[in-house]
Amino acid sequence: MAVEITQFLLAAQSADARVRTEAEANIRQFQEQNLPAFLLSLSVELANNEKPTESRTLAGLVLKNLLDAKDAGTKELLTRQWIAIDISIVSQIKDLLLRTLGSSVPEARHTSAQVIAKIASIDIPRKQWPDLIGSLLNNMTQRDSAAGLKQSTLEALGYVCEEISHQDLEQGEVNNVLTAVVQGMNLAENSPEVRLAATRALFNALEFAQTNFDTQMERDFIMKMVCETALSKEVQIRQTAFECLASIASRYYEVLGPYMQAFFELTSNAVKGDEETVALQAIEFWSSICDEEIELQEFEISDTGDSHSKFIEKALSSLVPMLLETLLKQEENQDQDDNIWNVAMAGGTCLQLVSRTVGDAILPLVMPFVEANIVKPDWHCREAATFAFGSVLEGPSTEKLSVLVHSGLDFMLRLMKDENNHVKDTTAWTLSRIFEFLHGPDGTVISSANLPKVVEILVEGTKDAPNVAEKVCWAIYHLSQGYEETCSSLFTPYVPGIIECLISTASRTDGDDSRLRSSAYESLNAVVRCSNIKETSQIIAQLLVVIMNKLGQTLELSIASSDDQEKQGDLQASFCGVLQVIIQKLTSDDESKRFILEAADQIMLLFLRVFACRSSTVHEEAMLAIGALAYATGPGFEKYLPELYKYLEMGLQNFGEFQVCAITVGVVGDIFRALDEKALPYCDGIMSTLMKDLSSEALHRSVKPPIFSVFGDIGLAIGEHFEKYVPYAVQMMQGASEICAQMDTSDEELMEYGNQLKCSIFEAYSGILQGFKDSKPEVMLPYAQHLLQFIELVLRDVNRDANVTKAAVSALGDLVDVLGLTIKPLFGDFAFFEGILQECLQTDDESLSETTAWAYAIMRRIMNQ
């Protein structure tokens, strides 16, 4: 059944575009006409040692890509196609792949290991490849197994462990896998290539080893092998061993105690003297310990006392000096690239985590380093000192930090004029963190005395090199954010100057590389949000005109290339984002709202012209701004719908860019809340599109909860006119509630999605019910029993999310409020509902308590009649 495809595969890699295109078409035709034969032919090609390496490698790559995809919808389709293939062909493909692991060609062996793992990800959970692990282990135990076969087998084992869940293997299989892997790490018996593959396989297999780590003898043996491997001659093997250590720190924190001294010596030596790739993983080990201890502190139950080992606290006096030394290992160009990752950056990041872990205890160890180095002539020392100070601003108490910052702020401001770019870059970052953590309504290091100097230095800093100016913009952002709750008049005199400098900064021609323009506009948004609207409405109204003009100018740009189009899109996205914030700010006050109402026609015209540019990023930002405009203009928004409607439809049908679809769904809700029944002419089209969205497997699942919520918005807006949609909408809601009832809550990501789905279903019911309250409440009576059952199911879950509880209680209240006495016979276990509501009344969550009090009062009134 297999077909000779070598020439096609070689031609598909030809330098001649015509030959290449023709070969790709032939390959695609074969795939579409007979997929099973095509997959088998690829496997035969990959397994044949007489074929060229190039054709074998491509065969494996095509085979792998026909088994897996990043896109969830495509992956599901590929999985279904594989499952449908006849078992005899599947068996042939598997046998060929296992045979290829022993090939003399490394590329073929490696590719085969990857493909085996992709098939395993489909078949092992379905119990359709029960002998795979045994076959792979057999390769490891045969006396005459070649080093290449061992290496590729270990690669396959590692990839398989990466692809499947720990629940898919029996403990006996896990034990055998770990034994084979640890034996493969043995220095005396194996080549460096085999040991590297084994160490990588161990990294992927650690997730499966819970039972083994619970057993001291097995745990000791694994730890011993990892520690020995971390001392290997080969850099890659050492690096991978330290990756294993970091993973062990995350997964098995509770059993680390007896090994911590050895781990400290290993990591300390690596950080101080090993290759950078190894040192980075050694630092990562301590970062992982910090992550675990921070999480334990956050979730520690108060009556259990100290429940974790506090490894960081115990190692503090040695760990912090080691990390401080790493800060002096900067690279000359690291200030030009925020994505650079070296020992200094890793050490600083770890120091930030240590600070969050131990709080005040870190300050006596760090401050002498800061004071000693910040005045040295060598820029490395000054930059390291500033980095160290910035790294300990989160964790210690505000009281302790405020004293240090009050005494050091002037010096930090002076460092913004340092001769060295690195020092200024890090100083601006440190100032940003000072404002983020020590400037707000609960206390601040900023006063009327030092604010003028701070603003002066920051405004001046926006004119510095792009990398420095970008950090300064974020410092302005956090300085502004500190006034968000109070909208303090103290900030008002500086608003015009800051706005002017940020607009100027965003217009710099050297800003593209360091994201300077986008950070300047983000900071501008913060300044607008946090300003006192009574005192700055005229200034913000003037800014509205400036930004509208700038957005208008982008529509006139000459677009000659994709780069031009991308730049236009970025600018439009930024301007639409600023306009959204301005609209929201001016609308928040009755007096200043007039500025938006007067300019609304021009603003909407600009947005419609922007949509015509067809950029998804701009589509998102413009849609969000339109939502704000709908809220501002209320019923007056109706006149824009004839032109806007086609773009709403486009957004709702944009499955490929699902974020655009989700935002458009939200804006539809904004529009219906603004227009109520005035949106009726467009309701059929929108409801039809939303129904198709919910039915589509191609649409990303994250968009579906917002759609249910919008059903509630539409139902509330159009009232009795929603009746014709009820059978279809509620059927969808009931189907979604059944999915919630059967959802696997052991998967954290799935549980989060389930919570969103439950909330949105309840919100939909609440809106629809309230929409019928004053006209046709009886419409919802046939669906009341199902809703009550769903509410009860959700409320019986003791681990339910707080937002889900509130949404369920609210829907319960709405159901009783709208249907009144007709609902009474449907209550089965009323005592259960009463008990839950009384429990919710005792909560510290004020919002939940208020909702519950309202729902409980209505229920008692109905039940007592």
Side-chain angles (χ1 to χ4, degrees):
M1 190 176 178
V3 175
E4 173 69 40
I5 57 172
T6 309
Q7 295 309 313
F8 292 144
L9 292 167
L10 292 173
Q13 301 173 71
S14 169
D16 186 326
R18 186 186 57 79
V19 173
R20 194 167 63 245
T21 303
E22 185 179 340
E24 287 169 354
N26 286 326
I27 290 170
R28 191 159 48 249
Q29 184 180 10
F30 183 12
Q31 174 191 329
E32 290 167 356
Q33 287 177 347
N34 193 338
L35 181 65
F38 181 59
L39 294 177
L40 181 60
S41 301
L42 291 170
S43 306
V44 168
E45 186 77 20
L46 179 60
N48 192 336
N49 282 326
E50 295 178 5
K51 295 292 184 179
T53 300
E54 294 79 8
S55 65
R56 295 177 72 185
T57 304
L58 182 58
L61 182 63
V62 173
L63 187 54
K64 181 166 75 79
N65 289 341
L66 286 171
L67 293 163
D68 191 24
K70 288 183 179 178
D71 177 71
T74 307
K75 181 171 182 171
E76 195 173 325
L77 175 65
L78 295 175
T79 298
R80 285 202 300 268
Q81 287 178 350
W82 171 258
I83 291 171
I85 295 173
D86 186 86
I87 189 70
S88 63
I89 295 175
V90 168
S91 297
Q92 289 181 67
I93 292 171
K94 289 175 177 178
D95 288 344
L96 287 163
L97 290 168
L98 287 169
R99 195 191 315 161
T100 309
L101 292 176
S103 170
S104 58
V105 179
E107 292 88 348
R109 295 198 305 265
H110 175 72
T111 306
S112 181
Q114 291 181 313
V115 178
I116 285 169
K118 295 302 179 185
I119 295 176
S121 72
I122 300 171
D123 280 1
I124 284 185
R126 297 169 50 246
K127 309 297 182 190
Q128 293 300 305
W129 203 353
D131 56 349
L132 170 63
I133 300 298
S135 299
L136 293 174
L137 293 173
N138 193 44
N139 291 345
M140 298 300 297
T141 53
Q142 288 178 356
R143 284 190 175 182
D144 56 348
S145 287
L149 175 60
K150 284 188 175 182
Q151 179 190 0
S152 56
T153 298
L154 287 164
E155 283 185 351
L157 281 169
Y159 292 142
V160 168
C161 289
E162 190 176 16
E163 290 286 344
I164 65 176
S165 162
H166 64 89
Q167 298 164 328
D168 294 328
L169 293 185
E170 301 293 333
Q171 186 56 44
E173 292 176 308
V174 174
N175 293 342
N176 291 335
V177 168
L178 287 171
T179 300
V181 166
V182 173
Q183 285 175 352
M185 294 167 69
N186 191 299
L187 176 62
E189 298 176 11
N190 297 297
S191 66
E193 292 78 15
V194 171
R195 285 165 47 233
L196 177 60
T199 312
R200 285 175 174 164
L202 176 64
F203 178 81
N204 288 325
L206 284 170
E207 178 191 348
F208 297 74
Q210 180 69 59
T211 301
N212 309 86
F213 270 83
D214 288 342
T215 307
Q216 184 176 344
M217 189 166 67
E218 294 182 41
R219 182 173 71 240
D220 286 348
F221 187 60
I222 294 171
M223 296 293 203
K224 176 174 174 289
M225 286 305 300
V226 174
C227 289
E228 287 178 2
T229 307
L231 295 171
S232 298
K233 287 189 300 182
E234 298 81 8
V235 173
Q236 271 193 303
I237 296 178
R238 293 201 303 278
Q239 177 188 338
T240 309
F242 277 108
E243 287 175 12
C244 289
L245 278 184
S247 178
I248 288 168
S250 293
R251 295 183 186 280
Y252 304 111
Y253 170 89
E254 64 280 356
V255 299
L256 295 181
Y259 315 99
M260 286 303 290
Q261 185 59 42
F263 290 165
F264 182 82
E265 289 173 14
L266 277 172
T267 54
S268 179
N269 290 335
V271 171
K272 289 174 182 174
D274 211 327
E275 298 288 333
E276 182 173 77
T277 53
V278 181
L280 287 171
Q281 291 306 319
I283 295 170
E284 183 62 27
F285 169 81
W286 290 103
S287 293
S288 298
I289 296 285
C290 288
D291 285 335
E292 290 305 304
E293 297 197 351
I294 290 167
E295 188 172 349
L296 285 166
Q297 288 167 14
E298 287 174 352
F299 293 103
E300 210 167 62
I301 301 168
S302 55
D303 60 3
T304 61
D306 294 339
S307 63
H308 67 276
S309 302
K310 298 191 174 180
F311 295 130
I312 297 298
E313 189 178 297
K314 291 170 184 172
L316 202 62
S317 60
S318 302
L319 178 60
V320 170
M322 177 183 83
L323 294 174
L324 289 172
E325 284 301 309
T326 66
L327 304 188
L328 293 162
K329 298 180 180 180
Q330 307 98 322
E331 291 177 17
E332 295 296 325
N333 65 339
Q334 73 178 35
D335 60 333
Q336 302 297 327
D337 183 3
D338 280 346
N339 296 318
I340 203 163
W341 192 245
N342 55 31
V343 170
M345 296 302 294
T349 302
C350 188
L351 193 65
Q352 291 167 46
L353 290 169
V354 172
S355 179
R356 288 175 58 198
T357 307
V358 301
D360 290 351
I362 199 170
L363 296 176
L365 294 165
V366 170
M367 291 316 296
F369 176 87
V370 174
E371 290 158 5
N373 285 280
I374 205 158
V375 292
K376 287 185 178 177
D378 184 348
W379 74 262
H380 294 85
C381 298
R382 298 197 304 280
E383 194 275 340
T386 314
F387 194 9
F389 188 52
S391 296
V392 297
L393 290 170
E394 185 183 10
S397 64
T398 304
E399 293 76 22
K400 287 276 174 67
L401 287 172
S402 293
V403 173
L404 295 172
V405 170
H406 273 300
S407 62
L409 184 59
D410 277 349
F411 195 88
M412 283 288 164
L413 293 173
R414 285 201 297 277
L415 277 179
M416 281 303 299
K417 296 184 182 296
D418 196 277
E419 62 193 26
N420 183 274
N421 190 280
H422 296 76
V423 175
K424 288 187 288 186
D425 183 274
T426 304
T427 302
W429 172 80
T430 299
L431 287 171
S432 178
R433 283 174 65 84
I434 288 172
F435 303 145
E436 181 179 0
F437 297 117
L438 297 168
H439 169 51
D442 299 329
T444 179
V445 293
I446 302 300
S447 65
S448 56
N450 61 22
L451 183 57
K453 184 68 173 174
V454 167
V455 172
E456 179 192 337
I457 292 292
L458 294 180
V459 168
E460 190 64 28
T462 60
K463 299 168 188 167
D464 213 312
N467 61 293
V468 176
E470 187 199 356
K471 305 288 194 314
V472 171
C473 285
W474 288 116
I476 292 172
Y477 176 93
H478 288 299
L479 178 69
S480 305
Q481 286 281 92
Y483 296 112
E484 184 169 23
E485 286 188 33
T486 59
C487 293
S488 171
S489 297
L490 189 64
F491 191 52
T492 301
Y494 307 100
V495 168
I498 293 175
I499 286 176
E500 187 180 343
C501 93
L502 287 172
I503 290 174
S504 176
T505 302
S507 303
R508 285 172 55 166
T509 55
D510 58 350
D512 289 351
D513 292 339
S514 67
R515 305 183 302 280
L516 176 56
R517 183 176 60 235
S518 60
S519 61
Y521 283 123
E522 282 292 331
S523 301
L524 183 60
N525 289 342
V527 172
V528 172
R529 270 196 307 269
C530 305
S531 59
N532 184 311
I533 189 63
K534 296 287 188 187
E535 299 169 353
T536 59
S537 60
Q538 290 290 340
I539 300 160
I540 296 172
Q542 290 166 17
L543 178 63
L544 172 65
V545 176
V546 171
I547 300 298
M548 285 172 63
N549 287 337
K550 285 183 174 291
L551 181 56
Q553 287 164 14
T554 66
L555 298 165
E556 311 303 326
L557 289 173
S558 172
I559 307 299
S561 66
S562 58
D563 284 348
D564 290 342
Q565 195 166 18
E566 186 179 347
K567 184 176 180 181
Q568 181 195 45
D570 288 345
L571 284 168
Q572 289 176 344
S574 293
F575 295 140
C576 288
V578 177
L579 284 174
Q580 180 197 355
V581 174
I582 291 173
I583 292 167
Q584 290 169 333
K585 189 67 179 181
L586 290 174
T587 306
S588 67
D589 180 75
D590 288 340
E591 287 184 32
S592 59
K593 187 175 180 178
R594 65 183 173 85
F595 293 116
I596 297 301
L597 298 179
E598 289 166 5
D601 289 357
Q602 293 169 274
I603 294 171
M604 195 64 200
L605 182 60
L606 282 169
F607 290 152
L608 291 171
R609 291 183 65 195
V610 162
F611 281 140
C613 297
R614 301 290 178 91
S615 162
S616 62
T617 312
V618 183
H619 200 134
E620 287 183 49
E621 298 295 341
M623 268 296 171
L624 287 168
I626 282 172
L629 191 63
Y631 176 79
T633 54
F637 192 82
E638 180 190 10
K639 62 182 174 182
Y640 306 126
L641 269 180
E643 284 296 315
L644 177 63
Y645 181 74
K646 63 182 175 185
Y647 296 113
L648 290 175
E649 279 217 313
M650 281 167 52
L652 293 175
Q653 293 167 0
N654 193 342
F655 293 0
E657 292 153 335
F658 65 88
Q659 297 92 336
V660 173
C661 187
I663 285 169
T664 308
V665 169
V667 170
V668 166
D670 293 334
I671 291 170
F672 272 89
R673 283 192 295 273
L675 296 186
D676 293 329
E677 291 187 1
K678 286 188 173 184
L680 265 175
Y682 304 93
C683 215
D684 284 354
I686 284 173
M687 283 299 295
S688 172
T689 305
L690 291 175
M691 293 290 188
K692 288 174 187 170
D693 284 3
L694 284 174
S695 304
S696 171
E697 291 185 11
L699 181 61
H700 196 277
R701 70 183 186 193
S702 65
V703 184
K704 297 189 176 182
I707 291 176
F708 284 120
S709 296
V710 158
F711 282 175
D713 292 327
I714 295 173
L716 188 59
I718 65 173
E720 65 185 65
H721 302 289
F722 195 80
E723 183 177 1
K724 64 178 175 179
Y725 308 119
V726 166
Y728 312 103
V730 175
Q731 183 184 1
M732 292 282 193
M733 288 148 62
Q734 290 178 343
S737 65
E738 302 294 338
I739 291 170
C740 290
Q742 297 161 17
M743 203 168 277
D744 175 17
T745 54
S746 63
D747 182 327
E748 200 170 315
E749 194 176 315
L750 206 55
M751 185 173 71
E752 176 64 27
Y753 173 68
N755 288 337
Q756 292 169 0
L757 197 55
K758 289 170 192 170
C759 283
S760 66
I761 294 166
F762 288 134
E763 286 168 5
Y765 274 116
S766 286
I768 294 167
L769 281 162
Q770 287 297 336
F772 284 120
K773 181 179 178 181
D774 297 326
S775 53
K776 293 183 174 180
E778 67 278 2
V779 171
M780 292 302 290
L781 188 58
Y783 311 103
Q785 186 73 66
H786 191 282
L787 173 55
L788 263 180
Q789 289 169 351
F790 183 48
I791 292 170
E792 182 174 349
L793 175 80
V794 168
L795 291 178
R796 283 192 184 277
D797 178 7
V798 293
N799 298 315
R800 64 186 179 274
D801 178 76
N803 290 327
V804 172
T805 303
K806 184 185 171 189
V809 169
S810 185
L812 180 63
D814 287 319
L815 184 65
V816 178
D817 181 36
V818 172
L819 295 182
L821 283 171
T822 57
I823 193 78
K824 191 173 179 179
L826 301 181
F827 270 100
D829 187 358
F830 177 68
F832 163 74
F833 287 105
E834 189 170 36
I836 283 288
L837 292 177
Q838 287 175 345
E839 178 190 312
C840 292
L841 282 170
Q842 309 305 315
T843 181
D844 294 334
D845 184 332
E846 193 176 328
S847 175
L848 174 57
S849 182
E850 286 178 8
T851 303
T852 305
W854 165 77
Y856 190 45
I858 292 172
M859 281 188 65
R860 295 299 304 170
R861 189 171 70 242
I862 296 298
M863 291 301 164
N864 289 335
Q865 286 185 29

